[in-house]
Every structure is written in C-alpha cells, then in structure tokens.
Amino acid sequence: MNKPLFQLVEMQIKEFFREPEILFWSFFFPIAIAGVLGVAFVNRGESVNTVAVIATQTNDAPIPSLQSVLEDTSGLRLVSMSLEEAELAMKRGKIALYVAKDSVNKGWNAYFDPLNSEANLAFLSLKNSLLEKNQTPILQASHITTPGSRYIDFLIPGLLALGIMNSCMWGIGWALVESRIKKLMRRMVATPMKRSTYLFSYISTRTFLAFIEALTVFLFAYFVFGVSIQGNIIAVLLTFLSGVAAFAGIAVLISSRAKNTQVGNGLLNAVVLPMTILSGVFFSYQNFPDWAVSIVQYLPLSMLADSMRAVFIEAATLADIAGKLLLLTLVGVLCFLAGLRIYKWY
Amino acid sequence: MNHNTKKPDEFLNYFYRVRIKITNQPLIILINIQNVTKSFKGFKAVDDISLTIQPGEYLALLGPNGAGKTTLVEMVEGLQYPDQGNITIKGMNWHQHKAPLRKLLGISLQETKFVDKLTVRETLNLFGSFYDLPKRRSEEIMEAVNLTHKQKTFTVNLSGGQRQKLALGVAIMNTPEILLLDEPTTGLDPNARRELWDILTKLKAQYHTTLILTTHYMEEAQYLCDRIVILDQGKILADGTLEELLDTYERGEIISFTLDKELPGQILSQIPGLHHFINRNERAKGELIVEDITRALPKFLSLVEAHHLEMRRLECRKKTLDDLFVAMTGRRLDE
Ligand SMILES: Nc1ncnc2c1ncn2[C@@H]1O[C@H](COP(=O)(O)OP(=O)(O)OP(=O)(O)O)[C@@H](O)[C@H]1O
Ligand SMILES: [Mg+2]
C-alpha cells in the first residue's frame, strides 16, 4: 500500500516531529502559558467591576438600600441577579464577586475567589464604603473555590480554542504558503496526485496533531490544576471538530493566493492576532461596549472558545451549543470552497 | 511495471517503434507547439514559437538568461498556459486531458526544494505513491541516480549535485515517455554533470524516452542531444543538429592570438584558406577564421617569425555554438 493521502500525511507528521522548534511552540508553549497564567496571574482583568447583588424573595427591602448606600462607590457597578445567574456570570467572567444576604447573622456575605486579586479589591472597596457610611450591615467574606469558578477554569477552554486556531492557521495556512514558495506544491500537483488529496492531507494531519496538542494541554490542566469537564465528552469532541473545520477552511482561503513570505505572514496575522486579543481567550469580552460584544461574539474564535467553555464549566449540552457549532462548520466549508475557487497552484 | 500503460498509448508506442525502424523518420509528432506566445505585463517572454518534437528525440533548448526557456518548458508541462497558440502532446492538450498528460510526463523544475526533513528514500516513496508505484521502485531509482548511499539523508542536507540527482530521480520514477528537465546540471561540477549525462544517455538507450532539456551549456547540448534549438528573447534563433547549425553559419576554425606588435596587413593575404580576420586592439590581437587550421597555422607562424614578431598567446579551436550565438546576437551564451 502506497496511497498518496497516507504518504502525504506521513510526510507531514514526520516533518512535524523532526523539527524540535515546532514541537516546542506546539506543545510546550501553550502549557507554559497555562501554567504561568494559572498560577500567577489570577486576575480576570475586568475593566469595570460589576458586583451582583442576589435578590431574595423573602425580603426585598435591603437590596435597594444597599444599592443606594453604594451608589457613589468608585469603580463598582451593582446589578441584581438570581443566585443561578450570578454563579453563571461568575463562571463566564462577567462578575468577580456577588453579594447575598446572610440569613443567620443578618449581615451580607460576599462570595468570591480569594485568588482573584480583582475580586479581593472589589471586596475591600465594598467593605470600606460601608464602613465610611457607618452602615450597620456587616460585609463578610465567603471564599468560593469550587471548580469551574477559578481563572484557570475560564482559561483552559479558551486556550484549547486558541490552540486549535493556531494549529490550523499555521499548520495548514502557513504550510501551504510555504510549500508554494518553495515550489514544492507545483512540483507535486504536476504529478497525477489529486489536488483534493493534497489539501485533504493537510487537514487530516492537522486534525490529528491539533487533537494531540489539545489533549496535552488538557491533561496538564487536569493533573496540575484539577480542571475537569463538567459537560459531555462527545460535546467537547464535536466542538473540537467544528473548530478544526472552521479554521482549516479559513486557513485554506488565506493560503489560496499568497506567494511570498510577507503576504502569507501578514494575512495569517491579520486573522490570528485580532481574534487572539478580542475573542475572550484570556479575558472575557463581556465588558466591552454592547455594540462590540454583539460583533465579537460571532468571531470564529469567540464562538469556539465560548462553546468550549460552556461545555467545560457550565455543563452545556450539545443542543445548547449546536447553533454555534453549525455556524463554525459553515464558516469553514464556505471559506474552503471560496479558497478552492481562487486557489493558485503554480 | 504496468504503470502508465494505457491501451491507446500502447498502440501508439508500437506504431512509433515500427515507423522508426522502417524509415528512421517518424511522421507522427509527439509534441506540437504551434505559434505559442506568452507575455508578462506586456513583455513577451515567449514570442510566437512553433516547434514539433518527434518521439525519441533528445532536444536541447539553449539560450542565455531570460531567453524564455523555462516559460516554454512550463507551458509544455501544463504549469503555465499560453496567451496564444496551442500545445498538444500525443494529440492531447492541457485543457481537456490533464490526468493522462500528467501520467505521461516526467519533469524536473528549475528550482524545487523538497521537504527539508524527509530522507531521500522517503521523498522517493512519496512521489512514487503519486504514480501508484510500489516502494521497490524507489530502490531502483536510487540505484539509477547513485543515491543509494544517501538514502537516509534528509534532503536539506544533500549537496547541490545530490539534490539535482534526486530531482532527476523523481522525474524518471514513472518511466515517463517524455522527460522535461529545466537546467538539470546548472551549478554542478564537471564530474557530477557527466554523471547526470550518463544517466540520461542510458535512459535513451533503454526506454527510448523523449527529452527536452534546457541548458546554458553548449557542451551539454552538444553531448546529449541530437537536436539543438537556440532561443533568445522569446524567439527561436536556430534549430537543427549541431552540424546543421554550424553549417548554417560560416564554417571554419579559429586561430586566436596576441602579438607584441601590430600585424602587418600584407601577411593576411598570404595565409591559405583565410575567411576573415577579426581585428581586436590595433592588430596586435585578433582572430583568424580559416578553412583548416592544419594548413593555415604553419604558414602563419612562419610569417610571424619572418616579420620578427613575438607571439604572446596562441589558441586554436573549432567553431562552436558559442561563436554561432555571438555571430547571431553579438552576445555570449553564458553572459
Ligand atoms: N511569472 C513571471 N512574471 C513576470 N515575468 C516573468 C515571469 N516568468 C518569467 N518572466 C520573464 O520572462 C522572461 C523569460 O523567463 P524564463 O524564466 O523563461 O527565462 P529562462 O530562459 O528560463 O532563463 P534562465 O536561463 O535564467 O532560467 C524573463 O525576462 C523573465 O523575467
Ligand atoms: Mg529558466
């Protein structure tokens, strides 16, 4: 058996594992990011600190009073939510802290992750404001460290999404541009080998390698930080595949015409950089202005990261994320077809 | 080895062979290039070229940089399309018969880098798979191009000559009927060049392959090919066997010399068989184009002696394609 597809995939995998630098950037680097950010940098980086105040059915009176007391507290915005809403908002990074009435000692309890410096800050300023105003309600700190609400829980699904994007964009997009620059592509497609086989080999190889990369990062996070998947593993896998489909398609489109390093690099960065920054991999984009959020949430990386995060920490079901996954796949297929139409083989 | 055997081709092959045996002058045209023009932003790289190539022919495209050799060859390979004109190979063209044509050709491009971190053997296996060849074929190729001892070397670590041999190996994997090599020996030392020539000569004897080769080297064209086409500025300047080409222009042999003083004019009339004298630098330096060196040289030397001139440099040679090219264009081939 000496099938072209098999040989092409074998070639790319060998090429991959024979380049120590590539191995470093693909495996070690994401793990290093996860490690450094997970341990040291627990700030979620909200530009505005939103504090949720839990509305209680039994007694609604204290809430407006707390809000009126804290009206002019600088940098804090109070919103009322139900307990479920507040927990979800916390997992999504929309809020760093929520306050609920303590039924036992008639005071207030602030719930937050003590490792999150921003939450600590919010807690202190809340407490100060109350003291300054000589208010009777006493604010007590209640630490929550349940899995799913820590920064690392927020970070890892995002990093996996980022990894999928980078793996596809560079592993397919850049590899194709490079093979065009080296004139290897034109040499290969001058043989009877099918062009679809050629492109498909790159996509297959990347699906495999991106999976290994994602698995490595996840296992690291699992064993070192106890990050776990709350949702269904099938949903995670389908999210992964939709992500690969989306970015493989985009990569083929991006690589369809570029015939020198500068253009290829420029195009890839033009796609990769904005999404890396905007799509909420490291920090939630929920605090952007509303008009920005309405755009950013449909960036492919945002959709991928959000779906991944939903399954990881909110135990979202397949049905919950199906819309986004279909959209991702559609983006991939459309880009792939567009790329194929204008593809420059020679 | 039943790759690239196709039923209609078998018939044609048989037909070619019979024709060649009977008349030694086949009537069937293997490659037909008709009035082909290719421009890049208004610049005509190939300018209305017509050329027919017969089965088994070894043809050299000879020409200086930018003559249009690569452009022409790549149009035959289907890697570029002509703006005007047609190219047919065995009656097939690149618009309708891509798949069978790709099976028919073996090509080596002017510049190809292989996958850096793939070994020689793996590279051959890879390309072999594209032609549906067994891995055993890779061994045969490595033997044929003398790379067996380098089979485990990454292509990035091969020397220039070894890489060219690998490129040739890849080109001949499918035992192509038509081999198109773009400057296969540029940059090689004379030994490596000769090694490649030997491989190509063997191929011709064994498989009756048809070859189109581009080169800057006159000796290469002379040694390998029965037919030489000289290209310049997108046009064909000359086409024929070496003998024919040299015949089309004034025949002759060259005595090139440098003297200490000017050569007196009356000497020239006494040299037997002199065609003409090319004067460089006040007659102290020049070239005599003569019918026959063996007759002209002794007389010339005795005349020099008789006039008390001192010979500083003397060189005798036959006319070459280079001289032909200089005569036609005023430039040298390897300029
Ligand atoms: N893609 C292109 N775009 C613009 N000009 C081109 C292109 N390809 C070739 N040319 C021009 O066409 C002319 C012929 O080029 P070509 O590569 O065919 O020459 P060549 O005979 O192969 O030269 P060399 O011996 O240097 O390889 C050159 O002047 C070159 O600049
Ligand atoms: Mg060339």
Side-chain angles (χ1 to χ4, degrees):
Chain A
M1 261 309 244
N2 199 9
K3 283 265 179 283
L5 179 64
F6 176 76
Q7 284 286 328
L8 281 166
V9 169
E10 190 185 322
M11 158 196 110
Q12 289 157 35
I13 289 176
K14 277 179 177 155
E15 200 185 1
F16 182 83
F17 284 101
R18 284 172 185 174
E19 283 298 352
E21 297 90 344
I22 296 181
L23 280 180
F24 171 82
W25 290 109
S26 304
F27 289 110
F28 184 73
F29 189 63
I31 288 179
I33 289 190
V36 169
L37 294 186
V39 172
F41 186 54
V42 282
N43 186 348
R44 279 192 192 161
E46 251 76 341
S47 48
V48 181
N49 266 311
T50 309
V51 170
V53 181
I54 308 302
T56 46
Q57 276 82 7
T58 46
N59 184 6
D60 284 333
I63 295 146
S65 76
L66 183 68
Q67 258 163 349
S68 60
V69 168
L70 295 176
E71 224 165 23
D72 53 351
T73 306
S74 58
L76 289 182
R77 191 157 68 98
L78 298 189
V79 289
S80 41
M81 290 180 181
S82 73
L83 183 60
E84 291 76 33
E85 281 171 343
E87 278 173 347
L88 199 59
M90 190 119 154
K91 285 177 178 175
R92 289 188 176 164
K94 283 185 186 169
I95 59 167
L97 178 147
Y98 64 87
V99 180
K101 202 163 168 4
D102 189 334
S103 51
V104 182
N105 60 13
K106 307 281 181 225
W108 292 89
N109 259 333
Y111 296 89
F112 62 96
D113 181 354
L115 290 177
N116 184 334
S117 60
E118 199 138 325
N120 273 318
L121 224 63
F123 172 70
L124 288 177
S125 62
L126 261 182
K127 196 165 180 173
N128 276 341
S129 321
L130 289 172
L131 281 176
E132 272 169 27
K133 303 219 155 82
N134 254 332
Q135 288 294 313
T136 36
I138 304 156
L139 192 64
Q140 290 201 322
S142 276
H143 295 166
I144 30 177
T145 48
T146 48
S149 62
R150 299 163 307 161
Y151 178 64
I152 190 77
D153 297 303
F154 173 89
L155 178 68
I156 290 300
L159 272 187
L160 293 181
L162 184 69
I164 292 170
M165 175 178 79
N166 278 328
S167 195
C168 288
M169 294 306 288
W170 298 104
I172 297 173
W174 177 246
L176 286 171
V177 171
E178 196 189 19
S179 121
R180 182 182 296 121
I181 294 171
K182 285 170 81 179
K183 313 231 167 163
L184 186 60
M185 181 188 280
R186 74 202 314 250
R187 181 64 192 87
M188 285 199 185
V189 299
T191 70
M193 185 247 316
K194 288 206 185 74
R195 284 154 198 218
S196 52
T197 306
Y198 186 69
L199 288 184
F200 191 63
S201 75
Y202 276 89
I203 297 175
S204 321
T205 309
R206 261 314 126 174
T207 312
F208 170 70
L209 291 177
F211 181 77
I212 308 251
E213 288 164 14
L215 193 65
T216 319
V217 172
F218 173 73
L219 289 178
F220 171 80
Y222 177 80
F223 286 114
V224 176
F225 295 108
V227 169
S228 58
I229 303 172
Q230 309 292 322
N232 180 336
I233 192 84
I234 303 286
V236 174
L237 286 179
L238 284 175
T239 307
F240 168 83
L241 286 177
S242 322
V244 170
F247 287 110
I250 295 173
V252 168
L253 178 61
I254 289 292
S255 71
S256 60
R257 306 287 307 171
K259 49 181 190 267
N260 62 54
T261 318
Q262 289 84 347
V263 173
N265 238 322
L267 280 172
L268 281 161
N269 276 323
V271 173
V272 167
L273 278 183
M275 285 205 269
T276 307
I277 295 165
L278 296 177
S279 286
V281 169
F282 299 101
F283 314 108
S284 167
Y285 59 78
Q286 296 292 348
N287 287 304
F288 291 164
D290 286 345
W291 65 266
V293 172
S294 65
I295 298 169
V296 166
Q297 64 179 340
Y298 288 110
L299 292 177
L301 184 60
S302 311
M303 292 198 283
L304 181 59
D306 289 348
S307 309
M308 204 56 112
R309 215 166 265 145
V311 183
F312 259 70
I313 55 189
E314 294 163 24
T317 62
L318 204 48
D320 295 335
I321 54 170
K324 278 186 179 161
L325 299 195
L326 284 177
L327 216 54
L328 279 172
T329 313
L330 190 69
V331 166
V333 171
L334 290 181
C335 286
F336 181 82
L337 292 177
L340 211 54
R341 277 194 77 86
I342 59 168
Y343 217 82
K344 189 174 168 57
W345 291 100
Y346 314 121
Chain B
M1 276 217 274
N2 67 342
H3 45 276
N4 89 351
T5 48
K6 304 202 57 179
K7 283 288 170 297
D9 296 5
E10 244 160 24
F11 169 73
L12 280 179
N13 276 339
Y14 175 70
F15 189 67
Y16 292 145
R17 253 177 264 133
V18 172
R19 292 256 1 137
I20 290 155
K21 269 194 195 129
I22 298 171
T23 65
N24 204 26
Q25 198 182 36
L27 293 178
I28 286 187
I29 293 163
L30 184 65
I31 302 173
N32 192 3
I33 300 170
Q34 284 175 319
N35 304 99
V36 163
T37 298
K38 175 84 182 176
S39 308
F40 297 104
K41 296 184 189 112
F43 172 82
K44 282 189 175 164
V46 169
D47 189 358
D48 196 26
I49 283 189
S50 295
L51 201 60
T52 55
I53 295 153
Q54 289 158 354
E57 223 169 13
Y58 262 38
L59 179 139
L61 286 176
L62 193 60
N65 290 127
K69 304 182 295 293
T70 300
T71 310
L72 182 62
V73 166
E74 291 197 347
M75 285 191 286
V76 177
E77 289 163 346
L79 293 177
Q80 298 190 39
Y81 286 102
D83 298 336
Q84 282 157 37
N86 292 308
I87 296 177
T88 54
I89 303 170
K90 284 183 128 182
M92 296 182 281
N93 64 58
W94 280 107
H95 294 287
Q96 289 161 300
H97 312 99
K98 290 194 178 71
L101 283 177
R102 289 204 182 102
K103 284 192 187 137
L104 203 69
L105 303 185
I107 69 178
S108 132
L109 303 174
Q110 184 164 2
E111 31 176 343
T112 301
K113 297 194 182 86
F114 291 104
V115 180
D116 285 351
K117 289 291 172 77
L118 223 50
T119 66
V120 168
R121 170 189 288 274
E122 287 162 351
T123 303
L124 288 170
N125 284 343
L126 177 66
F127 278 92
S129 77
F130 299 161
Y131 293 98
D132 202 15
L133 299 168
K135 291 198 173 170
R136 171 168 38 83
R137 182 69 184 148
S138 306
E139 319 269 335
E140 290 169 18
I141 293 293
M142 285 189 290
E143 302 248 316
V145 298
N146 295 330
L147 279 179
T148 311
H149 63 294
K150 283 284 170 189
Q151 55 176 300
K152 293 205 175 98
T153 308
F154 288 150
T155 63
V156 68
N157 296 332
L158 291 177
S159 76
Q162 289 161 345
R163 212 167 295 148
Q164 308 263 58
K165 281 201 264 179
L166 178 61
L168 177 62
V170 169
I172 61 175
M173 276 203 102
N174 58 331
T175 353
E177 258 183 83
I178 302 168
L179 193 55
L180 297 136
L181 306 177
D182 200 351
E183 300 194 16
T185 64
T186 297
L188 298 194
D189 70 33
N191 272 331
R193 183 169 300 155
R194 200 152 271 281
E195 212 179 327
L196 272 171
W197 290 357
D198 288 343
I199 297 167
L200 290 173
T201 317
K202 264 190 218 154
L203 219 63
K204 180 176 190 162
Q206 255 182 341
Y207 299 104
H208 202 256
T209 311
T210 305
L211 171 74
I212 300 180
L213 158 136
T214 75
T215 181
H216 295 274
Y217 304 114
M218 182 195 66
E219 323 87 86
E220 183 162 288
Q222 241 162 280
Y223 182 91
L224 272 179
C225 299
D226 4 75
R227 182 171 165 202
I228 297 166
V229 171
I230 300 182
L231 276 187
D232 189 40
Q233 301 180 350
K235 285 188 155 57
I236 294 180
L237 285 190
D239 176 358
T241 62
L242 181 64
E243 293 296 300
E244 282 167 358
L245 290 189
L246 293 177
D247 273 348
T248 53
Y249 221 73
E250 185 189 27
R251 283 231 103 180
E253 297 174 338
I254 297 169
I255 301 171
S256 164
F257 62 86
T258 308
L259 296 168
D260 63 337
K261 287 198 286 282
E262 197 172 298
L263 185 75
Q266 71 269 28
I267 283 187
L268 291 174
S269 58
Q270 296 171 48
I271 297 172
L274 176 74
H275 285 303
H276 66 272
F277 169 59
I278 300 170
N279 184 354
R280 305 194 198 276
N281 190 17
E282 303 293 310
R283 289 210 191 140
K285 196 173 170 187
E287 274 152 27
L288 299 168
I289 316 294
V290 298
E291 185 67 38
D292 183 359
I293 289 177
T294 50
R295 285 204 301 126
L297 189 60
K299 185 71 187 168
F300 175 56
L301 290 178
S302 68
L303 284 168
V304 165
E305 180 127 23
H307 285 80
H308 306 287
L309 297 167
E310 196 182 312
M311 189 66 78
R312 291 270 159 82
R313 180 188 63 92
L314 181 68
E315 200 185 303
C316 299
R317 60 186 176 86
K318 300 208 168 203
K319 265 199 166 179
T320 65
L321 285 177
D322 245 334
D323 300 301
L324 179 66
F325 190 79
V326 172
M328 285 189 289
T329 67
R331 285 172 292 130
R332 295 177 56 84
L333 262 177
D334 52 9
E335 245 168 34

